[in-house]
């Protein structure tokens, strides 16, 4: 699985360099996550991390956000483990599901926020790409969904992280 994650990272960087020759540096990628960090994340969130997420973060533990950082796909910055924990705690404390109506597709439990969602990437505007470790009966553990801060739409974007990245790599631009 690590080999597949390495290939995905290579393809992301290669495609990005085709758009911006300084793409690799502008990603601000962090050194790979350690087993202790994964354990802390699992313990804090009370979940078992999907193996694809672990393989992806073992290579690069997300991105350090600063002005000018390039998104790794679409408009998303990949969060390091420490930021995933911070974002999850923020969503646990601050998200009020009473603020909007839910528009939930099948495969996802009918919740606007689920503590078993792992917010692995963000767009800087309060929206998160999440891995669902608690799907409905018709869903798949590890499926990918967006958590929009101001819109109750919740839909499965891909059945797993690697499939989501493949979809993004197939788009005209990494930043669609």
């Amino acid at each position: 699985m690590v080999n597949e994650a390495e290939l995905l990272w290579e393809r992301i960087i290669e495609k990005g360099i085709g758009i911006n020759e300084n793409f690799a540096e502008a990603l601000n990628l962090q050194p790979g996550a350690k087993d202790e960090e994964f354990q802390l994340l699992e313990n804090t969130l009370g979940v078992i991390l999907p193996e694809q997420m672990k393989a992806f973060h073992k290579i690069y533990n997300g991105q350090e956000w600063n002005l000018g950082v390039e998104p790794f796909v679409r408009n998303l910055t990949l969060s390091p483990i420490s930021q995933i924990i911070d974002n999850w705690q923020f969503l646990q404390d601050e998200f009020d599901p009473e603020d909007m109506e839910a528009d939930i597709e099948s495969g996802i439990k009918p919740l606007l926020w689920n503590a078993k969602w792992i917010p692995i990437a963000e767009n800087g505007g309060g929206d998160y790409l999440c891995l669902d470790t608690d799907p409905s009966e018709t869903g798949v553990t590890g499926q990918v969904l967006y958590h929009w801060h101001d819109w109750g739409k919740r839909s499965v974007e891909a059945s797993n992280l690697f499939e989501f990245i493949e979809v993004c790599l197939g788009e005209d631009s990494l930043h669609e």
Side-chain angles (χ1 to χ4, degrees), residues 3 7 14 23-24 28 30 49 53 58 70 76 86 101 117-118 121 151 153 158 173 175:
N3 288 345
L7 289 173
E14 187 177 295
F23 182 78
N28 285 347
Q30 301 303 296
L49 299 176
M53 182 208 161
K58 276 184 182 177
E70 283 278 357
L76 299 167
D86 289 349
E101 288 197 27
W117 292 346
I118 306 168
W151 187 33
K153 175 82 169 158
S173 164
H175 305 128

Side-chain angles (χ1 to χ4, degrees), residues 5 11 17 25 30 67 81-82 100 124 130 132 136-137 142 157:
R11 290 176 56 210
I17 288 173
E25 296 81 27
Q30 301 303 296
L67 200 56
I81 301 294
S82 61
M100 66 185 86
C130 298
D132 185 357
S136 72
E137 289 180 14
E157 300 294 316

Side-chain angles (χ1 to χ4, degrees), residues 10-30:
E10 287 173 16
R11 290 176 56 210
I12 290 167
I13 292 169
E14 187 177 295
K15 185 165 185 171
I17 288 173
I19 300 163
N20 168 6
E21 64 184 26
N22 297 319
F23 182 78
E25 296 81 27
L27 284 172
N28 285 347
L29 293 169
Q30 301 303 296

Side-chain angles (χ1 to χ4, degrees), residues 29-63:
L29 293 169
Q30 301 303 296
K34 306 282 187 247
D35 289 338
E36 309 84 65
E37 292 171 290
F38 293 127
Q39 192 61 56
L40 175 63
L41 183 58
E42 286 182 334
N43 291 346
T44 303
L45 275 61
V47 300
I48 304 290
L49 299 176
E51 289 302 315
Q52 288 184 347
M53 182 208 161
K54 289 166 75 171
F56 205 64
H57 275 77
K58 276 184 182 177
I59 298 165
Y60 296 113
N61 184 12
Q63 302 171 260

